[in-house]
Structure formats: C-alpha cells, structure tokens
Amino acid sequence: MGFVGATVVATLAKYLTVYRQRENVKELQHDEFLTRHLELMIGDYKQKYDPTHDIRVNVMLPQSKRELSYEGGGFDYTHEQYLQIAHCAGGGIDSDIREHDCGEQDETTTPWGVDQPAEGNCGRAFVAGEVRVAGRVPAEDRWPGQETTHGQDRDTRAVNSVLSVPIRNSEAGEPIAVLNVDAPAPLRETSFESDEVQRTVAERYASRLATVV
C-alpha cells in the first residue's frame, strides 16, 4: 500500500506540475497575443488619425474582492467589485506619456470601483454600457465630477483625456471589460469626442477583443 500511495502521489505531483506549466504557457501566449493586438491598434489608430500626441491603450477587466470581518460583536461581509488594468500598450521612454507600469505609482494596480457610484470614466462606461469621454485641464490635479479618489488622480497624472469603450459579450451583449484609449493632451486637442473615432474604436477594436479577453 505504501508503494501504491507513493506512486499515486508522485503521478499526481507530476500531473499537476505539467498541467500548471502548460497553463502558464497558455496564459503567457494569451497575454502576448493581447499585447500585440493593442500595439497593432495603436499603430493603426496613428496611421488613420495622425494624432499630434502619443496615445496609450489598455483593457480593464472586472475583479471582485470579498471580505468577512468581525467587528462590534458581529460579522460583517463586504463584496467589492472594481475594474483593473489587465493588458496595456503604448508609452515609454521615447513617448510624451509614460508607460502604465513605470514610475512611482503602478497604474495596473489601481482599482476603479463599479459599484454605485462608479469611479472614473472607465467605471461609468462599464456600468452604463456606453462609450464615455472625459478630460481635464492639465494644470488641475482632479478629474471633473468628483468621481475619482485622490489616489486615482495621482496614478493618472500623466493622462488628461480618455476614451472608454465597453467590450461586450458577443452573445448577451453585456459589458465584460473596458477598452481605454488615453493621451496626455487636453481633450480639445484629441479626437476622442468625434463620433467617427468612437464608432471606429468600438467596432474595429473593442468588438474584436470580446472573444479573447
């Protein structure tokens, strides 16, 4: 029995190791595919609209955080839902806008709540299921509308305009993620408010991501 047990354990350990390695490879290939897709999107966008400023793009996915705490003689259960950057492209040393994951604050770790009231342009786009645009004066620290926290304002200080487009489930049509295009330029200098640009980003880019995010 001892030999059989050891054999089963060894076989199971080998299976889990190989399985996990395969899953890691799949995840890496998936991330590389999405990153490449976003890079191609930036190139395509620049070629089509020839912006005078750099742009970045990112895909935000919904996350959940559940906590059970004990306070005041009773248990308290909280369930928080938020968006967080999962894939991004653009920016860098030779750009006029930094990368999402460099500097003192890492934008990829910044949460954007989608419980009411939704936080930020991305949160409102996800909850409402519609294309949203937001901009701020570069000299101002806060985004308009008081819908962001000081931490969110700080983490996005390189950004002054953003276009957020829901990525919808191809079957149910419900938002499952958000595609953001942002820039350091003021909103008046971007084309984010253009109906053509919004339609192009939604139909040409966001719709194609629905099956792979």
Side-chain angles (χ1 to χ4, degrees):
M1 289 296 292
F3 174 77
V4 173
T7 301
V8 170
V9 170
T11 302
L12 180 60
K14 182 178 180 180
Y15 170 78
L16 291 175
T17 300
V18 172
Y19 174 79
R20 190 60 224 167
Q21 288 176 343
R22 287 177 178 173
E23 289 301 302
N24 288 338
V25 170
K26 288 181 180 179
E27 291 175 7
L28 180 61
Q29 291 174 338
H30 178 257
D31 290 345
E32 290 177 346
F33 171 80
L34 274 171
T35 298
R36 181 58 178 159
H37 185 88
L38 295 180
E39 290 172 347
L40 290 172
M41 172 186 162
I42 291 176
D44 187 51
Y45 184 98
K46 288 182 175 180
Q47 183 177 10
K48 185 175 180 63
Y49 297 109
D50 192 25
T52 58
H53 48 77
D54 285 326
I55 64 167
R56 303 182 307 176
V57 293
N58 71 65
V59 173
M60 286 188 172
L61 297 179
Q63 311 288 336
S64 292
K65 180 180 180 181
R66 295 176 172 85
E67 287 187 348
L68 182 64
S69 58
Y70 183 81
E71 292 183 7
F75 288 96
D76 182 34
Y77 173 77
T78 58
H79 179 203
E80 177 186 359
Q81 293 182 299
Y82 58 94
L83 296 171
Q84 200 166 33
I85 292 177
H87 310 280
C88 52
I93 298 175
D94 298 325
S95 170
D96 60 3
I97 185 171
R98 70 164 188 262
E99 293 178 342
H100 289 87
D101 57 350
C102 68
E104 294 181 0
Q105 301 299 327
D106 186 346
E107 288 179 67
T108 62
T109 64
T110 306
W112 300 84
V114 293
D115 297 319
Q116 295 297 337
E119 294 177 329
N121 200 59
C122 57
R124 298 195 303 277
F126 183 83
V127 171
E130 61 185 23
V131 176
R132 300 295 297 261
V133 177
R136 65 175 168 184
V137 178
E140 296 180 357
D141 293 331
R142 298 298 307 272
W143 286 91
Q146 304 298 314
E147 295 158 329
T148 54
T149 66
H150 288 291
Q152 292 164 346
D153 294 329
R154 174 200 63 207
D155 295 351
T156 57
R157 61 185 178 274
V159 179
N160 290 301
S161 56
V162 59
L163 167 63
S164 301
V165 180
I167 298 173
R168 300 178 179 278
N169 182 297
S170 56
E171 296 179 359
E174 296 293 326
I176 56 174
V178 174
L179 172 64
N180 294 304
V181 185
D182 63 40
L187 190 57
R188 66 179 181 275
E189 296 179 13
T190 72
S191 55
F192 294 164
E193 293 183 294
S194 163
D195 291 339
E196 179 194 348
V197 170
Q198 294 179 14
R199 184 170 57 253
T200 297
V201 173
E203 297 176 358
R204 191 169 186 170
Y205 308 128
S207 63
R208 296 179 182 178
L209 290 169
T211 58
V212 294
V213 295

